[in-house]
């Protein structure tokens, strides 16, 4: 089984509005995201997917909304605090924790993938030593089937 992994980085600010401590203040991270995909090798191109195509998908789904953005939970408190702010802001339904951001990113990447390609894993680094991992259980189910039968 061959997988493809593409890594990207983005700068973003966020705050956790339901948090007692320093993370309730606006602060930034250099986020690092590694996205891993599986799919059949196309016999015409001998590729699963061109890395350039993956780059475009990650640009649209992740970098356009999140790079150099202020990421906030959509709630009355944040709307009041940031009512005068006109910079790039991405509003989320939940607090912009790594756990929720990685779920958010997984949905957006998956929506742009060709039907033959499956996102199986994401790792989102908030710092060099703190990261979350998202795994597509369906992808691992197919991987298991593949290993059992081939
Ligand atoms: Zn943070």
């Amino acid at each position: 089984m061959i997988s493809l992994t593409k890594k990207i980085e983005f700068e973003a600010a966020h705050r956790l509005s339901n948090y007692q401590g320093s993370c309730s203040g606006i602060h930034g991270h250099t986020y690092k995201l590694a996205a891993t995909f599986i799919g059949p090798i196309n016999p015409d191109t001998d590729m699963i997917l061109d890395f350039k195509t993956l780059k475009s998908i990650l640009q649209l789904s992740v970098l356009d909304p999140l790079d150099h953005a202020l990421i906030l939970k959509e709630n009355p408190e944040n709307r009041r605090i940031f009512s005068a702010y006109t910079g790039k802001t991405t509003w989320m339904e939940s607090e912009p924790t790594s756990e929720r951001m990685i779920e958010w990113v997984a949905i957006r990447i998956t929506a742009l993938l060709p039907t033959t390609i499956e996102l199986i894993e994401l790792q989102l680094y908030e710092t060099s030593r703190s990261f979350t991992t998202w795994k597509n259980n369906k992808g691992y189910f197919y991987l298991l089937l593949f290993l059992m039968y081939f």
Side-chain angles (χ1 to χ4, degrees), residues 14 23 27 29 31 126:
H14 71 170
C23 290
H27 63 281
H29 297 283
Y31 287 95
E126 198 169 83

Side-chain angles (χ1 to χ4, degrees), residues 120-139:
I120 58 163
E121 186 171 301
L122 289 171
Q123 289 192 316
L124 180 65
Y125 283 75
E126 198 169 83
T127 69
S128 60
R129 288 176 291 187
S130 301
F131 64 96
T132 50
T133 301
W134 173 94
K135 290 183 183 197
N136 176 350
N137 293 328
K138 195 168 134 236

